[in-house]
């Protein structure tokens, strides 16, 4: 089968023929229908310090996958051959303290699909049964492949009350775009979104932002009830704290590429802000909520799907991904 393999500890990947994998105990074999490109995959491609500390090549990359189950090696309560499953990237141990108290998404022994083990940029993939989500067949296949960023966004929104609130979203990558949609779905009064590139500002409007800007207009300084920082960009993070009103809640989701400095006194103390870090998605509470949003059409993920490529055109797709002139990019094996 064709697969995208991170073969060397250098920049780039290789498209090559590899054997179809055998599902190990408690794994499924899926025929990959669609796999979408994530920002993480760009890190892996570029071999950034983050990738260097998480990846031990060779590895088949790709984690936002939807596929048809063709073989099951083990017991599964609800998944059968022929079902369409999406993979949860965070493979939890099920035994550590966090797993035991219902926080599997921040498992202390986390393994990552398509990062720490072979993933889904391929025609077939093996996925642990415990991290396979059985999709409702009424949801369009393309939406099934892009639930990860919506899951992140829903998890973010569930950490703060947005109902009737003025919400600022900084950064309109896929998770930022989904955060706009989720804030809208859960009743935000007004949503303002910031993004440097204009392409994604247009998508931000489509997903439900009332106003989009390159930079925060001065009139909004100290006015936001809720700020969702989705970019990890240093300037955006500063803006997030400047936009927050006294007693506001700031959610930090975007991961900065380097250490950044913040004025703790001015922001955290003077404004009495509530600042929360958010990671991943709850397993499976968030997936249930995402499924509801998609089934009820309260969120239409197809609006952010902008490009489709064959898996063999991976390099072309990666180029578009890096340009920022895109929403979600889908690969079809
Ligand atoms: Zn991802
Ligand atoms: Zn665990």
């Amino acid at each position: 089968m064709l697969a995208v393999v991170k073969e060397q500890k250098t920049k780039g990947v290789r498209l090559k023929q590899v054997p179809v994998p055998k599902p190990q105990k408690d794994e499924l074999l899926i025929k990959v229908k669609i796999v979408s490109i994530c920002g993480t995959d760009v890190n892996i491609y570029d071999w950034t310090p983050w990738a260097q500390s998480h990846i031990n090549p060779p590895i088949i990359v790709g984690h936002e996958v939807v596929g048809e189950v063709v073989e099951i090696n083990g017991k599964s309560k609800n998944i059968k051959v022929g079902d369409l499953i999406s993979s949860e990237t965070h493979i939890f141990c099920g035994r550590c303290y966090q797993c035991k108290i219902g926080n599997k998404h921040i498992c202390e022994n986390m393994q990552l699909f398509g990062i720490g083990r072979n993933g889904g940029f391929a025609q077939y993939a093996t996925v642990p049964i415990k991290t396979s989500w059985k999709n409702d067949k009424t949801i369009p296949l393309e939406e099934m492949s892009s639930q990860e960023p919506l899951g992140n966004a829903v998890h973010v929104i569930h950490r703060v009350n947005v109902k009737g609130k003025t919400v600022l979203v900084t950064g309109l990558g896929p998770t930022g775009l989904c955060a706009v949609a989720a804030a809208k779905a859960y009743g935000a009064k007004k949503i303002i979104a910031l993004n440097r590139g204009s392409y994604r500002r247009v998508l931000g409007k489509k997903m439900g932002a009332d106003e989009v800007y390159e930079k925060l207009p001065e009139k909004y300084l100290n006015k936001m009830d809720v700020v969702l920082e989705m970019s990890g960009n240093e300037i955006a993070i500063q803006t997030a704290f400047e936009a927050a009103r006294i007693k506001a809640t700031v959610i930090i989701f975007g991961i900065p590429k380097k250490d950044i400095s913040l004025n703790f006194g001015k922001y955290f103390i003077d404004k009495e802000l509530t600042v929360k870090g958010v990671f991943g998605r709850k397993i499976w509470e968030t997936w249930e909520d995402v499924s509801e949003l998609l089934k009820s059409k309260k969120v239409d993920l197809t609006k952010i799907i902008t490009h489709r490529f064959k898996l063999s055109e991976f390099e072309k797709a990666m180029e578009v991904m890096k340009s920022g002139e895109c929403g979600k990019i889908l690969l079809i094996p």
Side-chain angles (χ1 to χ4, degrees):
M1 66 170 189
L2 187 65
V4 175
V5 184
K6 184 79 193 173
E7 224 173 22
Q8 305 283 343
K9 294 182 172 181
T10 52
K11 202 176 153 164
V13 290
R14 212 174 129 206
L15 260 96
K16 61 185 280 194
Q17 290 292 326
V18 300
V20 173
K22 280 249 160 274
Q24 304 294 303
K25 193 174 175 305
D26 298 321
E27 286 184 349
L28 307 170
L29 178 68
I30 59 166
K31 185 174 195 310
V32 177
K33 294 280 188 186
I34 302 176
V35 54
S36 66
I37 303 182
C38 173
T40 306
D41 301 319
V42 180
N43 274 300
I44 296 170
Y45 188 93
D46 285 342
W47 200 234
T48 61
W50 181 90
Q52 290 169 30
S53 67
H54 282 78
I55 296 210
N56 194 13
I59 208 133
I60 298 172
V61 197
H63 56 274
E64 298 188 15
V65 62
V66 57
E68 185 185 334
V69 178
V70 291
E71 197 182 329
I72 304 177
N73 185 359
K75 275 196 211 112
S76 170
K77 267 188 234 136
N78 68 329
I79 297 171
K80 303 181 301 298
V81 168
D83 283 341
L84 291 169
I85 65 103
S86 292
S87 62
E88 162 60 54
T89 307
H90 303 120
I91 304 171
F92 53 89
C93 74
R95 296 180 305 274
C96 73
Y97 175 72
Q98 293 300 339
C99 281
K100 278 187 200 153
I101 63 166
N103 291 327
K104 294 193 202 84
H105 68 297
I106 40 173
C107 167
E108 292 163 23
N109 309 307
M110 186 102 70
Q111 204 193 13
L112 299 169
F113 182 63
I115 295 160
R117 59 167 275 161
N118 284 338
F121 285 156
Q123 288 171 307
Y124 290 87
T126 55
V127 185
I129 293 171
K130 66 181 178 184
T131 50
S132 295
W133 170 256
K134 180 176 166 173
N135 286 296
D136 184 300
K137 283 191 175 165
T138 63
I139 295 171
L141 191 66
E142 290 199 339
E143 291 196 296
M144 289 180 190
S145 75
S146 300
Q147 292 175 93
E148 179 178 273
L150 181 57
N152 294 140
V154 167
H155 184 31
V156 160
I157 298 289
H158 283 348
R159 298 291 304 279
V160 56
N161 178 17
V162 295
K163 205 171 163 76
K165 303 282 170 64
T166 301
V167 177
L168 174 70
V169 178
T170 51
L172 290 175
T175 49
L177 290 167
C178 287
V180 168
K184 183 105 184 156
Y186 289 108
K189 183 175 75 187
K190 186 174 182 180
I191 303 164
I192 295 152
L194 304 182
N195 196 66
R196 209 182 309 146
S198 61
Y199 188 98
R200 286 177 174 169
R201 290 205 295 275
V202 174
L203 292 179
K205 273 261 182 187
K206 277 193 190 167
M207 293 306 272
D210 297 288
E211 297 170 26
V212 290
Y213 300 101
E214 186 175 357
K215 277 194 189 122
L216 186 76
E218 220 162 285
K219 63 178 175 181
Y220 289 134
L221 286 174
N222 305 306
K223 291 289 190 306
M224 298 296 128
D225 301 315
V226 172
V227 183
L228 311 176
E229 205 307 292
M230 307 302 285
S231 72
N233 175 281
E234 182 163 12
I235 296 166
I237 293 171
Q238 296 285 352
T239 303
F241 287 100
E242 279 161 15
R245 72 165 10 128
I246 291 171
K247 286 285 191 185
T249 300
V250 179
I251 302 278
I252 301 291
F253 181 84
I255 301 171
K257 286 204 168 68
K258 55 180 171 53
D259 292 353
I260 56 164
S261 69
L262 278 175
N263 187 329
F264 268 53
K266 184 174 157 200
Y267 297 138
F268 299 177
I269 300 167
D270 292 356
K271 290 194 185 185
E272 282 207 346
L273 294 183
T274 302
V275 181
K276 293 181 183 176
V278 175
F279 181 86
R281 301 150 293 276
K282 294 279 275 182
I283 305 167
W284 296 98
E285 297 91 321
T286 311
W287 286 81
E288 296 280 0
D289 295 335
V290 164
S291 188
E292 272 318 303
L293 288 175
L294 295 176
K295 274 193 282 183
S296 63
K297 310 266 179 215
K298 281 192 186 132
V299 172
D300 179 1
L301 273 181
T302 59
K303 286 183 189 162
I304 62 163
I305 297 168
T306 56
H307 295 76
R308 295 153 182 90
F309 290 97
K310 286 188 211 140
L311 183 64
S312 56
E313 299 172 304
F314 183 81
E315 293 286 350
K316 219 159 105 188
M318 185 50 82
E319 227 173 85
V320 176
M321 181 76 187
K322 286 196 195 182
S323 75
E325 302 265 296
C326 61
K328 264 307 203 191
I329 299 179
L330 308 187
L331 296 168
I332 296 115

